[in-house]
Amino acid sequence: MTRASLDKQPHEVASMFDVVAENYDLTNDVLSLGQDRRWRKEVARAVGARPAEKILDLAAGTATSSQPFAATGAYVVPCDFSLGMLREGKKRHAWMPFTAGDATRLPFADAVFDAVTISFGLRNVQDTDAALRELYRVTKPGGRIVICEFSQPTWAPFRTVYTEYLMRALPPVARAVSSNPDAYVYLAESIRDWPDQPALAARLQGAGWSKVAWRNLTGGIVALHRGVRV
Protein backbone atom coordinates (compact mmCIF):
# COMPACT_ATOMS: atom_id res chain seq x y z
CA MET A 1 0.00 0.00 0.00
CA THR A 2 1.57 3.31 -1.09
CA ARG A 3 -1.50 5.55 -1.12
CA ALA A 4 -4.43 5.73 1.27
CA SER A 5 -8.01 6.33 0.17
CA LEU A 6 -10.15 9.15 1.50
CA ASP A 7 -12.08 6.81 3.79
CA LYS A 8 -8.79 6.84 5.76
CA GLN A 9 -8.48 3.25 6.83
CA PRO A 10 -5.84 3.35 9.61
CA HIS A 11 -3.69 0.54 8.20
CA GLU A 12 -3.61 2.24 4.78
CA VAL A 13 -2.65 5.64 6.17
CA ALA A 14 0.01 4.18 8.48
CA SER A 15 1.49 2.12 5.64
CA MET A 16 1.60 5.18 3.39
CA PHE A 17 3.53 7.18 5.98
CA ASP A 18 5.86 4.26 6.68
CA VAL A 19 7.02 4.46 3.06
CA VAL A 20 7.73 8.20 3.02
CA ALA A 21 9.22 8.46 6.53
CA GLU A 22 12.89 8.85 5.60
CA ASN A 23 12.45 11.95 3.44
CA TYR A 24 9.15 13.23 4.82
CA ASP A 25 10.48 16.37 6.53
CA LEU A 26 12.60 17.40 3.53
CA THR A 27 9.71 16.83 1.12
CA ASN A 28 7.36 18.94 3.23
CA ASP A 29 9.91 21.74 3.33
CA VAL A 30 10.11 21.75 -0.48
CA LEU A 31 6.37 21.46 -1.11
CA SER A 32 5.50 24.21 1.38
CA LEU A 33 8.22 26.49 0.00
CA GLY A 34 9.77 26.60 3.46
CA GLN A 35 6.57 27.78 5.16
CA ASP A 36 6.40 24.67 7.36
CA ARG A 37 9.24 26.04 9.48
CA ARG A 38 7.28 29.23 10.17
CA TRP A 39 4.15 27.20 10.96
CA ARG A 40 6.05 25.12 13.52
CA LYS A 41 7.23 28.29 15.25
CA GLU A 42 3.64 29.53 15.45
CA VAL A 43 2.52 26.21 16.94
CA ALA A 44 5.25 26.39 19.57
CA ARG A 45 4.18 29.93 20.45
CA ALA A 46 0.52 28.92 20.68
CA VAL A 47 1.21 25.88 22.87
CA GLY A 48 3.42 27.95 25.17
CA ALA A 49 5.11 24.93 26.75
CA ARG A 50 6.75 25.57 30.12
CA PRO A 51 9.42 23.67 32.08
CA ALA A 52 8.20 20.38 33.59
CA GLU A 53 4.87 20.49 31.76
CA LYS A 54 3.73 17.28 30.07
CA ILE A 55 3.02 17.78 26.36
CA LEU A 56 1.48 15.25 23.97
CA ASP A 57 2.58 15.77 20.38
CA LEU A 58 0.17 13.58 18.43
CA ALA A 59 0.92 12.57 14.83
CA ALA A 60 4.45 13.67 15.64
CA GLY A 61 6.07 11.62 12.88
CA THR A 62 9.83 11.90 13.29
CA ALA A 63 9.36 14.39 16.18
CA THR A 64 10.56 17.43 14.26
CA SER A 65 7.45 19.16 15.63
CA SER A 66 8.33 18.06 19.19
CA GLN A 67 11.73 19.72 19.40
CA PRO A 68 10.55 23.28 20.22
CA PHE A 69 8.54 21.95 23.17
CA ALA A 70 11.46 19.92 24.48
CA ALA A 71 13.70 22.99 24.21
CA THR A 72 11.57 24.75 26.83
CA GLY A 73 12.23 22.03 29.40
CA ALA A 74 8.82 20.41 29.00
CA TYR A 75 8.43 16.62 28.97
CA VAL A 76 7.23 15.81 25.45
CA VAL A 77 5.72 12.53 24.26
CA PRO A 78 5.86 12.16 20.45
CA CYS A 79 3.03 9.79 19.46
CA ASP A 80 2.23 8.39 16.02
CA PHE A 81 0.60 5.31 14.51
CA SER A 82 3.22 4.98 11.74
CA LEU A 83 5.95 2.68 13.00
CA GLY A 84 8.13 3.77 10.09
CA MET A 85 7.92 7.37 11.24
CA LEU A 86 8.67 6.40 14.83
CA ARG A 87 11.70 4.35 13.80
CA GLU A 88 13.06 7.20 11.71
CA GLY A 89 12.46 9.63 14.57
CA LYS A 90 14.23 7.36 17.05
CA LYS A 91 17.31 7.38 14.83
CA ARG A 92 17.43 11.17 15.03
CA HIS A 93 16.28 11.73 18.62
CA ALA A 94 17.09 8.55 20.53
CA TRP A 95 16.42 10.22 23.90
CA MET A 96 12.76 11.00 23.21
CA PRO A 97 9.92 8.74 24.51
CA PHE A 98 8.39 7.83 21.15
CA THR A 99 5.05 6.07 21.59
CA ALA A 100 2.94 4.15 19.08
CA GLY A 101 -0.72 5.06 19.34
CA ASP A 102 -3.98 5.49 17.45
CA ALA A 103 -5.55 8.95 17.83
CA THR A 104 -8.96 7.41 18.47
CA ARG A 105 -7.68 5.08 21.24
CA LEU A 106 -4.76 6.82 22.90
CA PRO A 107 -2.57 4.65 25.19
CA PHE A 108 -2.60 7.17 28.05
CA ALA A 109 -4.52 7.57 31.30
CA ASP A 110 -7.11 10.28 31.83
CA ALA A 111 -6.02 13.87 32.51
CA VAL A 112 -2.24 13.45 32.32
CA PHE A 113 -1.14 16.19 29.88
CA ASP A 114 -0.94 19.94 30.42
CA ALA A 115 -1.22 20.50 26.66
CA VAL A 116 -1.97 18.37 23.61
CA THR A 117 -1.17 19.30 20.04
CA ILE A 118 -1.42 17.81 16.59
CA SER A 119 0.04 19.32 13.41
CA PHE A 120 -1.09 18.23 9.95
CA GLY A 121 -2.36 14.93 11.25
CA LEU A 122 -5.97 15.36 12.31
CA ARG A 123 -7.30 15.21 8.77
CA ASN A 124 -5.65 11.78 8.34
CA VAL A 125 -7.61 10.28 11.25
CA GLN A 126 -10.62 8.20 10.23
CA ASP A 127 -12.86 9.51 13.03
CA THR A 128 -12.06 13.17 13.73
CA ASP A 129 -14.63 13.55 16.50
CA ALA A 130 -13.36 10.47 18.35
CA ALA A 131 -9.82 11.86 18.19
CA LEU A 132 -10.92 15.22 19.59
CA ARG A 133 -12.71 13.44 22.44
CA GLU A 134 -9.63 11.33 23.16
CA LEU A 135 -7.44 14.41 23.26
CA TYR A 136 -9.91 15.95 25.69
CA ARG A 137 -9.83 12.81 27.85
CA VAL A 138 -6.04 12.79 28.27
CA THR A 139 -5.80 16.55 29.00
CA LYS A 140 -5.83 17.91 32.55
CA PRO A 141 -8.64 20.28 33.56
CA GLY A 142 -7.48 23.72 32.52
CA GLY A 143 -5.17 22.17 29.93
CA ARG A 144 -5.04 23.31 26.33
CA ILE A 145 -5.19 21.99 22.80
CA VAL A 146 -3.53 23.43 19.70
CA ILE A 147 -4.34 22.04 16.26
CA CYS A 148 -2.33 23.11 13.24
CA GLU A 149 -3.97 21.93 10.04
CA PHE A 150 -4.39 22.88 6.43
CA SER A 151 -7.55 24.91 5.94
CA GLN A 152 -9.36 27.16 3.46
CA PRO A 153 -7.78 30.41 2.20
CA THR A 154 -10.04 33.31 3.10
CA TRP A 155 -9.60 35.33 -0.13
CA ALA A 156 -11.58 33.69 -2.94
CA PRO A 157 -9.11 34.42 -5.82
CA PHE A 158 -6.22 33.07 -3.73
CA ARG A 159 -8.31 30.03 -2.78
CA THR A 160 -8.75 29.23 -6.47
CA VAL A 161 -5.02 29.53 -7.17
CA TYR A 162 -4.21 27.43 -4.11
CA THR A 163 -6.59 24.65 -5.14
CA GLU A 164 -5.02 24.60 -8.60
CA TYR A 165 -1.58 24.27 -7.02
CA LEU A 166 -2.70 21.39 -4.84
CA MET A 167 -4.27 19.34 -7.57
CA ARG A 168 -2.03 20.21 -10.54
CA ALA A 169 1.36 21.47 -9.39
CA LEU A 170 1.88 19.48 -6.20
CA PRO A 171 1.86 15.96 -7.76
CA PRO A 172 4.66 16.64 -10.28
CA VAL A 173 6.74 18.39 -7.62
CA ALA A 174 6.18 15.41 -5.34
CA ARG A 175 7.34 13.08 -8.11
CA ALA A 176 10.62 14.98 -8.23
CA VAL A 177 11.37 14.98 -4.49
CA SER A 178 9.42 12.13 -2.86
CA SER A 179 9.96 8.38 -2.81
CA ASN A 180 6.18 7.93 -2.95
CA PRO A 181 4.49 10.71 -4.96
CA ASP A 182 1.13 8.93 -4.85
CA ALA A 183 1.03 9.65 -1.12
CA TYR A 184 1.08 13.36 -1.90
CA VAL A 185 -1.82 13.02 -4.31
CA TYR A 186 -3.78 11.63 -1.36
CA LEU A 187 -2.57 14.49 0.83
CA ALA A 188 -3.72 17.06 -1.73
CA GLU A 189 -7.15 15.42 -1.96
CA SER A 190 -7.46 15.23 1.84
CA ILE A 191 -6.63 18.94 2.15
CA ARG A 192 -9.25 19.85 -0.44
CA ASP A 193 -11.91 17.80 1.38
CA TRP A 194 -11.08 19.03 4.91
CA PRO A 195 -13.59 21.23 6.84
CA ASP A 196 -13.05 24.98 6.89
CA GLN A 197 -12.13 26.97 9.99
CA PRO A 198 -15.64 27.46 11.50
CA ALA A 199 -16.56 23.81 10.87
CA LEU A 200 -13.49 22.50 12.70
CA ALA A 201 -14.14 24.94 15.57
CA ALA A 202 -17.66 23.54 15.89
CA ARG A 203 -16.29 20.01 16.08
CA LEU A 204 -13.90 21.03 18.85
CA GLN A 205 -16.82 22.47 20.79
CA GLY A 206 -18.83 19.32 20.17
CA ALA A 207 -16.01 17.27 21.73
CA GLY A 208 -16.21 19.34 24.91
CA TRP A 209 -13.48 21.95 24.39
CA SER A 210 -14.21 25.50 25.57
CA LYS A 211 -12.78 28.92 24.61
CA VAL A 212 -12.36 27.64 21.05
CA ALA A 213 -10.76 30.09 18.65
CA TRP A 214 -8.60 30.02 15.55
CA ARG A 215 -6.01 32.12 13.76
CA ASN A 216 -5.18 31.93 10.08
CA LEU A 217 -1.63 31.57 8.81
CA THR A 218 -0.46 32.24 5.25
CA GLY A 219 -3.82 33.62 4.20
CA GLY A 220 -5.76 30.66 5.60
CA ILE A 221 -3.73 27.91 3.93
CA VAL A 222 -3.14 26.81 7.51
CA ALA A 223 -5.19 27.53 10.62
CA LEU A 224 -4.27 27.24 14.28
CA HIS A 225 -7.25 26.16 16.37
CA ARG A 226 -7.08 26.41 20.15
CA GLY A 227 -9.25 25.31 23.03
CA VAL A 228 -9.23 24.65 26.78
CA ARG A 229 -10.50 21.71 28.80
CA VAL A 230 -12.82 22.88 31.57
Side-chain angles (χ1 to χ4, degrees):
M1 171 58 64
T2 57
R3 175 183 174 184
S5 57
L6 285 181
D7 62 1
K8 302 173 188 176
Q9 294 295 320
H11 69 283
E12 292 182 0
V13 179
S15 177
M16 182 183 71
F17 280 105
D18 289 346
V19 173
V20 301
E22 184 175 359
N23 295 316
Y24 183 72
D25 294 321
L26 174 62
T27 302
N28 285 347
D29 200 35
V30 171
L31 293 178
S32 71
L33 306 178
Q35 287 295 300
D36 61 317
R37 285 169 283 177
R38 179 197 164 209
W39 298 334
R40 281 197 297 272
K41 289 179 181 178
E42 294 296 335
V43 171
R45 187 175 292 116
V47 170
R50 295 185 290 273
E53 282 194 322
K54 294 179 181 177
I55 311 293
L56 172 62
D57 187 13
L58 186 57
T62 61
T64 297
S65 58
S66 306
Q67 301 314 303
F69 311 130
T72 69
Y75 178 78
V76 188
V77 178
C79 181
D80 204 288
F81 71 165
S82 165
L83 297 182
M85 285 286 193
L86 295 173
R87 281 192 290 266
E88 186 63 30
K90 200 67 175 175
K91 291 179 189 176
R92 304 178 191 181
H93 313 290
W95 54 276
M96 298 201 78
F98 286 90
T99 303
D102 184 329
T104 64
R105 296 184 300 276
L106 291 172
F108 307 110
D110 296 351
V112 293
F113 292 103
D114 297 285
V116 295
T117 183
I118 180 169
S119 294
F120 307 111
L122 188 60
R123 75 180 191 287
N124 298 318
V125 178
Q126 187 177 39
D127 190 336
T128 303
D129 297 321
L132 293 175
R133 290 191 299 269
E134 273 291 271
L135 286 167
Y136 186 92
R137 179 184 67 79
V138 301
T139 303
K140 295 177 182 178
R144 55 213 186 269
I145 186 172
V146 174
I147 298 170
C148 181
E149 189 53 89
F150 289 108
S151 198
Q152 299 297 321
T154 54
W155 189 44
F158 179 48
R159 187 161 57 243
T160 300
V161 171
Y162 173 63
T163 302
E164 287 294 308
Y165 169 75
L166 279 178
M167 303 314 299
R168 296 191 181 186
L170 189 148
V173 173
R175 279 195 292 273
V177 298
S178 173
S179 60
N180 181 18
D182 282 347
Y184 288 87
V185 175
Y186 156 80
L187 292 174
E189 292 174 347
S190 68
I191 292 168
R192 184 183 59 184
D193 290 350
W194 184 245
D196 64 10
Q197 293 89 325
L200 181 54
R203 296 179 87 158
L204 273 160
Q205 291 169 331
W209 295 95
S210 64
K211 299 182 181 179
V212 173
W214 74 84
R215 180 163 65 91
N216 291 317
L217 303 177
T218 319
I221 286 178
V222 164
L224 284 182
H225 281 72
R226 303 179 304 282
V228 175
R229 174 175 176 174
V230 294

